[in-house]
Amino acid sequence: MDRKKSDETRSSNEKDVVESKEHIEHHELVAQTPLERQMALKEALEIDPGVSRWAWGAIQMYLITLVVCCCSGDSGFDGTVMGGINSMKQYQQYFGMDGVGSKTSIVFGIFTVGSIVGVIPASYFPDRFGRRFSMWFGNAILIVGAILTANAKSKGPFLGGRFLTGLGASCAGASAKSYLAEMAPAHSRGFYMGFLNSFYYVGQMTATGMMVATGRFQSEMSWRLPLYIQVVPAGINVIFIFFCPESPRWLYSVGKGDQARVILARLHSSTNDINSPLVNIEMKEIEEKITIGGGDKTWWDFRPLFRNRADRYRAYMVILIGIFGQLSGNGLITYFLPILLKNAGITNQDRILTLNFVNSVTSYIGALSGSAIIDRFGRRRILLLSTSAIAAILLIVTALLSEFGSVARANAGITFIYLFMVVFSFGWTPMQALYPAEVLSYEARAKGLAFLGIVSQVATLINTFGLPVALQKLGWKVYLIFLIWDVFEVIIIYFFVVETKGLTLEEINDIFDNPNPRRYSEQIQKETRDARRDTAS
């Protein structure tokens, strides 16, 4: 009797699963709008909820992310190393520098020039050879540049190494963003991408922590040793990247759809079933939006980013992130914090290096906090709140450091500079990797992220070439310039930034096809919340 009842229960459960799958398949056939796609995805997640936090699939994803994050650690290490050794008397005396002015601009700027040249492999290699190869190539070039810089006996090899380091970091960083965006599940993509860009501060902390110690050396190793250590994160990526699976979207684009399905099942499905309804939905969206051989492999032609109104809107979002992410005042602090501290009356080298390390730690905390909540609160809200907050902080900093006063006043100014970087890191660090990667269509993603590199580095040229001279000539008035600019940023973000929270990469494409993507994205978010509330009740 019990056995018969058990068989009946099992038969009933199997019937429910079959009916649910049939219902999802019906949704897949008729789903047209992002809202309908979201409802189909929600039903699929009820059958296959995806990997749990400590499942083997999730652990694999964490390990993959750590290897990819080394590409972000590259850039953080470089910017901070140069900011730190630029303030060291040992370095200044060796190369005849003084920390500011045109000579310093060239040392910082040649990295930017290399980064712009790095756009060439970054726009071609990811689509032609895969995301992994492009990361490997970039980091291999970076290793050569770091070794050359660390062993330089004159300015020529030093600048040559800086150029190669910039080229490698640019290529590896762009490829890392497209790779991780295409690997991560939609509901946690913000966290993974935020963690990727937050790793910038791991590089910073490593560099600044080391320079607190090496800055006390009286020999050349005080500044050479930090340059050697830059090889470490790049070396980790070079060694382990080909142990990681390739992007399933790239695999599908080169006719390897079966391999793509296996990878999605391994990393996204709780059952590791290639026919899971969750995997079926993801593969269906990939098949709809990605054409085999569709990746644009002509690196010199960026016109596909501006073909139609939807593509242009995506490109404008990339430009917005690239410019605002560099010119909000963060570049001033990242590269020139030691000089800012001297301007505020703090001149002891050991204390300056220690404070530089503290800034890296607090900024990393801010970046991780933003990454942890970005999938819950959304992109627009976090950008608006954080940018408004840094504008207010700059107003306070300008007032405190506008003239030399007491030590207490200088310390208060420095405190708010640190708070600025915490808030900036909270809102902008996760977004710089996440938002461009998810708003670009697959066919334009590699090229679009390479284009982001151009925009970011052109904006960085203002920091690297303009700021040393501006600090020398204008002093505290530089803060006022960034304050006015940040207010402008808030206005642009409010009227134009599109919300992408919780949507798959393919659903985001549909948002930009609407005549008013910003308004339509908010409508979709509202309808999705209402539908889920109705379902729950």
Side-chain angles (χ1 to χ4, degrees):
M1 185 76 176
D2 290 341
R3 182 173 180 179
K4 181 179 179 181
K5 186 174 181 180
S6 176
D7 290 342
E8 288 175 353
T9 301
R10 187 183 303 110
S11 176
S12 176
N13 290 340
E14 290 173 352
K15 182 179 178 182
D16 289 342
V17 170
V18 169
E19 288 177 351
S20 296
K21 287 184 177 180
E22 289 175 349
H23 187 52
I24 290 169
E25 289 169 0
H26 172 71
H27 266 282
E28 291 175 357
L29 291 173
V30 302
Q32 297 294 326
T33 69
L35 177 61
E36 290 170 330
R37 293 178 187 274
Q38 283 286 293
M39 292 301 101
L41 179 61
K42 180 177 181 294
E43 292 172 3
L45 287 169
E46 290 175 356
I47 298 173
D48 182 354
V51 294
S52 59
R53 185 173 298 177
W54 298 113
W56 175 234
I59 293 172
Q60 289 181 80
M61 191 65 201
Y62 301 153
L63 294 173
I64 291 167
T65 301
L66 285 175
V67 173
V68 176
C69 281
C70 289
C71 298
S72 186
D74 291 342
S75 298
F77 201 102
D78 179 86
T80 311
V81 161
M82 285 312 303
I85 69 175
N86 187 51
S87 68
M88 290 184 183
K89 295 181 178 64
Q90 301 93 317
Y91 163 80
Q92 292 175 3
Q93 290 169 1
Y94 191 90
F95 285 113
M97 313 285 275
D98 60 5
V100 294
S102 58
K103 290 182 179 179
T104 297
S105 296
I106 293 172
V107 171
F108 280 96
I110 197 67
F111 179 91
T112 304
V113 174
S115 298
I116 294 174
V117 175
V119 166
I120 296 173
S123 61
Y124 177 73
F125 286 175
D127 285 334
R128 181 66 180 86
F129 302 111
R131 278 44 170 151
R132 296 180 304 173
F133 175 81
S134 190
M135 283 185 275
W136 180 90
F137 173 83
N139 281 302
I141 294 295
L142 189 151
I143 289 170
V144 174
I147 293 173
L148 185 60
T149 305
N151 287 284
K153 301 296 184 182
S154 62
K155 284 185 183 177
F158 190 87
L159 293 176
R162 294 279 297 150
F163 174 84
L164 291 177
T165 303
L167 189 156
S170 172
C171 180
S175 306
K177 291 171 186 174
S178 59
Y179 175 84
L180 197 57
E182 293 168 2
M183 293 289 288
H187 64 276
S188 56
R189 186 174 58 247
F191 171 76
Y192 280 108
M193 296 300 290
F195 187 78
L196 166 65
N197 224 39
S198 300
F199 221 74
Y200 177 93
Y201 293 112
V202 174
Q204 268 201 353
M205 287 187 290
T206 304
T208 53
M210 173 183 297
M211 286 186 294
V212 170
T214 65
R216 296 166 184 165
F217 298 171
Q218 298 305 311
S219 67
E220 297 170 15
M221 292 305 293
S222 61
W223 56 271
R224 290 192 188 274
L225 185 58
L227 293 172
Y228 278 118
I229 301 300
Q230 191 170 9
V231 169
V232 174
I236 292 172
N237 186 269
V238 163
I239 292 169
F240 291 107
I241 190 58
F242 285 109
F243 290 98
C244 302
E246 184 53 89
S247 160
R249 287 167 172 83
W250 183 81
L251 288 171
Y252 179 81
S253 76
V254 295
K256 299 179 179 179
D258 291 341
Q259 292 183 35
R261 182 178 284 273
V262 169
I263 291 170
L264 288 174
R266 191 199 329 166
L267 298 178
H268 293 188
S269 171
S270 60
T271 61
N272 201 22
D273 179 7
I274 61 173
N275 294 311
S276 159
L278 179 62
V279 174
N280 285 339
I281 284 180
E282 288 190 87
M283 281 302 301
K284 182 176 182 295
E285 291 187 341
I286 290 172
E287 290 164 2
E288 285 179 355
K289 298 297 183 180
I290 298 175
T291 56
I292 294 178
D296 190 345
K297 299 175 179 63
T298 52
W299 65 264
W300 60 86
D301 186 5
F302 284 85
R303 286 178 298 177
L305 295 175
F306 303 93
R307 285 174 304 190
N308 52 48
R309 185 204 53 77
D311 289 334
R312 286 191 293 274
Y313 203 113
R314 291 187 184 97
Y316 297 152
M317 293 296 97
V318 171
I319 293 170
L320 180 149
I321 294 294
I323 294 177
F324 290 2
Q326 299 299 323
L327 296 181
S328 297
N330 53 304
L332 172 70
I333 295 168
T334 300
Y335 279 89
F336 299 102
L337 179 61
I339 303 301
L340 299 180
L341 293 172
K342 287 181 179 178
N343 289 347
I346 300 172
T347 56
N348 180 272
Q349 177 174 299
D350 189 63
R351 189 181 177 199
I352 287 173
L353 291 173
T354 302
L355 289 172
N356 209 18
F357 173 71
V358 172
N359 176 60
S360 299
V361 174
T362 54
S363 296
Y364 185 48
I365 293 171
L368 284 181
S369 301
S371 301
I373 69 168
I374 197 169
D375 286 313
R376 180 178 179 184
F377 290 97
R379 286 55 163 159
R380 271 178 58 83
R381 185 184 300 179
I382 288 179
L383 277 179
L384 282 169
L385 289 175
S386 61
T387 310
S388 300
I390 62 176
I393 292 169
L394 277 179
L395 178 62
I396 297 171
V397 170
T398 302
L400 287 171
L401 300 182
S402 59
E403 59 183 59
F404 288 106
S406 65
V407 174
R409 184 168 177 167
N411 287 337
I414 295 302
T415 300
F416 277 98
I417 286 177
Y418 278 67
L419 181 60
F420 173 95
M421 282 307 297
V422 171
V423 176
F424 175 87
S425 302
F426 173 86
W428 277 95
T429 297
M431 213 66 67
Q432 287 173 300
L434 167 66
Y435 200 68
E438 64 181 6
V439 301
L440 290 162
S441 63
Y442 172 79
E443 282 76 10
R445 187 164 294 125
K447 183 164 290 184
L449 290 173
F451 179 67
L452 170 67
I454 295 176
V455 174
S456 298
Q457 295 306 327
V458 169
T460 301
L461 285 173
I462 298 174
N463 288 333
T464 54
F465 284 108
L467 281 180
V469 178
L471 286 169
Q472 199 174 40
K473 302 291 185 181
L474 300 177
W476 66 268
K477 296 183 182 69
V478 175
Y479 298 117
L480 185 60
I481 295 171
F482 282 112
L483 165 61
I484 296 169
W485 176 258
D486 285 347
V487 172
F488 169 74
E489 287 184 5
V490 172
I491 296 170
I492 297 298
I493 291 168
Y494 179 82
F495 285 105
F496 295 105
V497 167
V498 174
E499 182 56 73
T500 56
K501 180 184 76 170
L503 301 174
T504 66
L505 296 175
E506 288 69 35
E507 289 167 349
I508 293 170
N509 286 348
D510 295 333
I511 297 288
F512 284 93
D513 289 332
N514 189 272
N516 190 328
R518 194 269 300 173
R519 187 174 298 168
Y520 185 51
S521 70
E522 293 182 317
Q523 176 188 335
I524 291 299
Q525 295 292 330
K526 182 178 184 302
E527 289 177 354
T528 302
R529 288 194 302 270
D530 291 344
R532 287 174 177 170
R533 193 180 301 117
D534 293 341
T535 303
S537 60

